[in-house]
Amino acid sequence: MKHGAARWIVTIAAALAAGAFMLYGVAGLAPFGSYHGAYGDLIVRVAVAQRHALNVATAINFDYRGFDTLIEEFILFTAVAGVTLLFREQLGPHERHGGDPDVDYELAPESDGIGWMGFAFVPLGALFAIYIAIHGHLTPGGGFQAGAIAASAYALVYFGQHYRAMKALVPHAFADALESIGGGGYGLIGVAAALVSGVFLTNVLPLGKTGDILSAGTIPAINACVFVEVTFGFVTCLELFVKQTRKTEKSE
Amino acid sequence: MTLAGALALLAIAVCGTGVALTRDPLRQLVVFGAFGIALTLAFFIFRAPDVALSELAVGTVLVPLVTLVAIVKTTRKQG
């Protein structure tokens, strides 16, 4: 009993102290929506005129701060490599006995409708993703968002068709190659810019007419690279994750 | 802050609490999807459509799928 009472006293005292500290912190915050960033205000004012990109967020990501985004892309690349290493082929007893390694768990059979709906989302998702990617410098979204959308469409195949269909739809070597091309392409654009202008990742291509698909110089090209890299990085990860649901024990 | 913004923040608070209070992992995934949609709406209302798009795809499809696989892998009895 005594123990319980002491615990409550400590808990309440700690909660009051933490609560007071948080209230003090919240009271000192700047008012909602206020922003004091000279750099941000400046870039919003000059970006459209300087880079002919209507989506300033994309102009910052792939041009003004292109180097930061390159490193972020390498983070994703490294993460995918880590997942690949973690889930590398380790045969279960079922496969060692010569069984088919790609047998799915015996899930409840899907109706044909659900089965084919999984596939139906692939072209729709891919189309929408490509639209988002090529309009990255004009409308909200860009390579990363487009890649995540494309990978989502791929993920929906699992719900309709299970692992075997996922593996058949995008062969592993194909995904690997495209992921590397996307990741390397970004760096190569930077190197090419350095050869032409002397500075890595400078926007050296003609800027074109503001609002056109082919405008804003290197931004759409980098965008496309990021789209390909993110799409196939996620696809590789998803395929490896879903592979883990395979049956690895021999069923009688 | 607009009414829509306030409602979106409220939805985040409600859904987030819901995620924390749901005990069954499978049900938790569904609530987590709702949480993702609340976040998406908030990002959109606060004029960050780029972030809203990312959150929509990552938070409502990719994360639940990966978690679903983890649940299948850790709870299914081998047949």
Side-chain angles (χ1 to χ4, degrees):
Chain A
M1 284 304 109
K2 231 174 167 187
H3 248 75
R7 189 180 291 165
W8 273 111
I9 290 168
V10 171
T11 306
I12 291 169
L16 282 177
F21 197 64
M22 278 178 77
L23 278 178
Y24 172 73
V26 170
L29 283 179
F32 183 82
S34 70
Y35 174 71
H36 308 284
Y39 181 70
D41 288 334
L42 182 74
I43 217 160
V44 164
R45 249 196 332 273
V46 301
V48 176
Q50 268 191 355
R51 294 294 189 261
H52 298 200
L54 294 174
N55 183 0
V56 177
T58 298
I60 294 169
N61 281 338
F62 297 126
D63 189 338
Y64 292 110
R65 291 300 179 113
F67 189 71
D68 299 29
T69 310
L70 180 67
I71 304 293
E72 280 172 37
E73 210 200 22
F74 288 165
I75 294 174
L76 179 69
F77 192 84
T78 314
V80 173
V83 170
T84 311
L85 184 68
L86 191 65
F87 288 159
R88 66 191 179 277
E89 201 69 55
Q90 285 168 317
L91 297 184
H94 170 63
E95 291 148 72
R96 279 202 294 273
H97 289 99
D100 182 350
D102 294 332
V103 180
D104 284 304
Y105 278 123
E106 280 155 31
L107 301 168
E110 309 287 1
S111 70
D112 281 355
I114 291 178
W116 289 105
M117 209 166 74
F119 276 135
F121 276 111
V122 171
L124 288 176
L127 195 65
F128 184 51
I130 291 169
Y131 168 84
I132 292 282
I134 62 177
H135 289 81
H137 54 300
L138 304 174
T139 56
F144 179 81
Q145 287 87 345
I149 290 165
S152 301
Y154 178 69
L156 290 174
V157 173
Y158 173 66
F159 293 108
Q161 299 280 349
H162 309 314
Y163 172 68
R164 215 194 265 264
M166 287 181 90
K167 193 184 169 192
L169 194 65
V170 183
H172 202 79
F174 180 72
D176 263 0
L178 280 179
E179 197 209 348
S180 306
I181 289 171
Y186 193 162
L188 286 179
I189 290 171
V191 172
L195 291 177
V196 173
S197 73
V199 183
F200 187 66
L201 272 175
T202 318
N203 196 336
V204 288
L205 289 178
L207 292 174
K209 185 165 151 279
T210 306
D212 280 0
I213 298 253
L214 283 178
S215 65
T218 52
I219 294 175
I222 294 176
N223 222 348
C225 289
V226 172
F227 170 51
V228 171
E229 209 255 317
V230 172
T231 302
F232 290 99
F234 275 157
V235 161
T236 305
C237 274
L238 285 171
E239 198 252 337
L240 286 167
F241 267 99
V242 171
K243 198 178 190 176
Q244 296 292 310
T245 66
R246 289 174 320 163
K247 184 185 289 184
T248 47
E249 295 288 332
K250 189 183 174 80
S251 53
E252 69 263 38
Chain B
M1 201 189 324
T2 58
L3 178 67
L7 284 176
L9 290 183
L10 192 69
I12 290 175
V14 170
C15 293
T17 314
V19 174
L21 292 182
T22 311
R23 305 314 303 177
D24 176 34
L26 267 179
R27 286 171 200 277
Q28 201 173 26
L29 266 188
V30 179
V31 185
F32 184 81
F35 178 63
I37 289 171
L39 274 179
T40 305
L41 281 175
F43 288 139
F44 185 72
I45 289 165
F46 291 113
R47 292 188 279 175
D50 290 72
V51 189
L53 261 177
S54 307
E55 171 59 36
L56 187 64
V58 174
T60 58
V61 181
L62 296 176
V63 172
L65 180 82
V66 169
T67 319
L68 182 69
V69 168
I71 293 171
V72 168
K73 182 75 179 168
T74 50
T75 60
R76 182 173 283 269
K77 289 186 180 63
Q78 301 283 333

